[in-house]
Amino acid sequence: MEKSDAPFHISPSFLLEEFGADPHGLLLIPFLAGWVLVYIHCYRTGGIEAFARSSSVHQAHAIIVCALSAISLYRDDDEKFSESIPILFSTSYFVMDFVDCLIRIDGMFLVHAMTALALGCCAYVSGPFRVVRLMSRGYMVEMSNIQLHRWKRTKTRKDFAILVAVFTATRIIYLPAFILREVADIIGMRTVVFGILLLLQCLQIGWWVKMVDMLLCYKTKVGKMEDTLYSTESAQEKKKL
């Protein structure tokens, strides 16, 4: 694919213009309303940490966005299935995730939510990205989150080993290759979008190193090892200790 020579830019007004022109743009409203209701339910039943710690909520997002992305890639035609659908669904989730991270003062996941939102917005308004269904390809890394939340329920070494394997395949091998092959080829490496992707990849590598270290010293008896992966302990909780 030839690299696009057009300068890539995004602004609130441009984003709103693209949103208004998109026949599927209004899907953002029910998607976002749904995630707000999920957050409210979690908060009312489990408090401030409930949304972040709900494996079923995050696993549901991962399963649905992977399914929507698979359909988008299979159809490969906006007349049959728009690329906007997985983008709007996942972006609405990360809006709520961003708000949750602000409330809990969770810096690491706040950065993750910001990068996910920025990438979603950039892909939504970029013609070249939409043509190659860039986000549908990128969202497939969420397969690792499906296994992550399975392991969080079972805490078995077998499930954790599978998680490390899936995470390595999707986020350590596939994602960097995807960034260099698809993104750099379209817009080049000296762009804000490429910088955001590099920041995201640094987070992935940090998590991966932590996971490998955990796997090497994992205690086979379920429940013996503290769940430190993707820690969601808030600054408010730390102050109480």
Side-chain angles (χ1 to χ4, degrees):
M1 177 179 291
E2 295 182 359
K3 188 185 298 182
S4 174
D5 295 325
F8 186 85
H9 70 281
I10 184 171
S11 66
S13 59
F14 183 56
L15 185 60
L16 287 173
E17 182 181 335
E18 290 293 312
F19 178 76
D22 181 11
H24 298 89
L26 289 178
L27 284 174
L28 181 64
I29 297 174
F31 286 159
L32 186 56
W35 288 117
V36 170
L37 290 174
V38 168
Y39 181 85
I40 292 172
H41 172 74
C42 289
Y43 181 81
R44 293 182 64 181
T45 57
I48 195 172
E49 295 289 326
F51 181 81
R53 294 189 179 278
S54 176
S55 290
S56 59
V57 168
H58 303 302
Q59 192 173 48
H61 164 259
I63 292 172
I64 294 171
V65 79
C66 283
L68 292 174
S69 298
I71 295 170
S72 174
L73 292 171
Y74 176 74
R75 292 294 186 180
D76 197 20
D77 184 346
D78 266 8
E79 294 295 323
K80 296 178 179 178
F81 196 90
S82 175
E83 171 75 345
S84 296
I85 297 174
I87 293 176
L88 293 173
F89 175 77
S90 195
T91 299
S92 63
Y93 163 83
F94 280 110
V95 167
M96 201 64 255
D97 189 46
F98 174 78
V99 172
D100 176 59
C101 291
L102 282 177
I103 293 172
R104 295 184 299 105
I105 319 176
D106 188 335
M108 181 175 66
F109 277 92
L110 181 64
V111 172
H112 180 261
M114 289 172 65
T115 58
L117 284 172
L119 290 173
C121 290
C122 290
Y124 185 74
V125 301
S126 170
F129 283 174
R130 292 175 68 93
V131 167
V132 298
R133 297 185 177 260
L134 191 86
M135 290 307 288
S136 287
R137 296 173 187 272
Y139 285 141
M140 299 310 289
V141 302
E142 289 292 324
M143 287 188 290
S144 66
N145 272 341
I146 299 173
Q147 180 62 24
L148 167 67
H149 294 289
R150 173 181 169 79
W151 167 74
K152 283 196 170 187
R153 288 193 296 270
T154 67
K155 293 297 179 69
T156 64
R157 192 179 192 282
K158 177 183 176 182
D159 279 336
F160 191 74
I162 294 172
L163 167 62
V164 174
V166 176
F167 192 98
T168 301
T170 58
R171 296 179 184 260
I172 303 302
I173 298 175
Y174 170 74
L175 188 58
F178 168 76
I179 291 171
L180 292 173
R181 185 182 68 250
E182 299 288 351
V183 180
D185 192 47
I186 294 172
I187 61 172
M189 299 175 69
R190 299 180 64 181
T191 61
V192 174
V193 174
F194 196 82
I196 294 171
L197 283 165
L198 287 180
L199 176 60
L200 180 62
Q201 189 58 32
C202 287
L203 284 174
Q204 316 289 354
I205 293 172
W207 284 329
W208 180 74
V209 170
K210 188 175 183 179
M211 291 166 67
V212 171
D213 180 63
M214 287 175 64
L215 181 61
L216 293 175
C217 63
Y218 201 94
K219 297 179 181 178
T220 56
K221 188 174 180 181
V222 179
K224 284 288 186 180
M225 189 169 189
E226 181 184 2
D227 177 13
T228 58
L229 182 63
Y230 291 109
S231 175
T232 57
E233 183 181 32
S234 67
Q236 295 173 357
E237 285 185 324
K238 291 177 183 177
K239 289 177 182 178
K240 295 177 182 178
L241 298 178

